[in-house]
Amino acid sequence: IAQRQRLGELVLAIADRGEVALEPHFAASWREAADDDARFRVAVDQVASLTDKSAYNLHHKLVASKG
C-alpha cells in the first residue's frame, strides 16, 4: 500500500487504541488532552515522530497483521 495510506491507517489505529498504543511521552499527552480532537492530534504527533521503518513496523503490528 502507499505510504500515505499506511500512515493514515496507523493514525486511526493509534487513535482507536488510545494511550496503550502510544510511547510514554505521548501517552501522558493523551491523558492530559482536553477532548477527542486533542487526543487525535496526539496520535498524529506520535506517527509524525516515527522513522519510516518504525512506522512500517508499527503499522504491521497494529493494522496489517489484523487483516
Side-chain angles (χ1 to χ4, degrees):
I1 65 174
Q3 183 178 22
R4 181 175 285 187
Q5 179 182 346
R6 182 177 295 119
L7 294 176
E9 290 175 353
L10 183 53
V11 168
L12 293 175
I14 290 171
D16 184 53
R17 285 167 179 76
E19 66 181 284
V20 298
L22 295 164
E23 294 175 4
H25 167 76
F26 293 103
S29 296
W30 178 275
R31 288 188 299 274
E32 296 167 4
D35 56 26
D36 288 343
D37 288 341
R39 284 185 284 279
F40 189 79
R41 181 64 203 186
V42 173
V44 170
D45 289 346
Q46 164 79 49
V47 172
S49 76
L50 299 173
T51 64
D52 289 347
K53 180 67 174 160
S54 60
Y56 179 87
N57 290 342
L58 189 55
H59 178 272
H60 182 75
K61 177 181 174 184
L62 298 179
V63 180
S65 64
K66 306 300 182 214

